[in-house]
Amino acid sequence: MIGFIVAGLIIGVLARLITPGRQRLSILATLLLGLVGSVIGGTIANLLGTGDIWELNTLGFVIAVVASVALIGVAEGIAHSKSKA
């Protein structure tokens, strides 16, 4: 479980580095989105039969990073639209 949390935090940092442009999200929000992305990646990898949701594997890691990048993009879009309103 602790390894899963650490992996989620690393995934959040990687996603933030991959996401283009300047992000206005806090580090805490980025890390939480990394954890959510990690759960999504683990779930999809589990559904594809490549491992357990709590198990770190290559496919789950890649999907988690992609999901986290998408989540950061959506969160940035929401934060940006709220700041204009």
Side-chain angles (χ1 to χ4, degrees), residues 27-45:
I27 296 296
L28 180 62
T30 301
L31 297 177
L32 290 174
L33 291 173
L35 286 171
V36 172
S38 186
V39 170
I40 292 169
T43 302
I44 292 173

Side-chain angles (χ1 to χ4, degrees), residues 2-44:
I2 292 173
F4 180 77
I5 293 170
V6 170
L9 298 176
I10 292 169
I11 287 167
V13 170
L14 283 174
R16 188 172 181 130
L17 291 173
I18 292 171
T19 304
R22 185 166 191 263
Q23 292 91 31
R24 292 180 203 91
L25 293 176
S26 68
I27 296 296
L28 180 62
T30 301
L31 297 177
L32 290 174
L33 291 173
L35 286 171
V36 172
S38 186
V39 170
I40 292 169
T43 302
I44 292 173

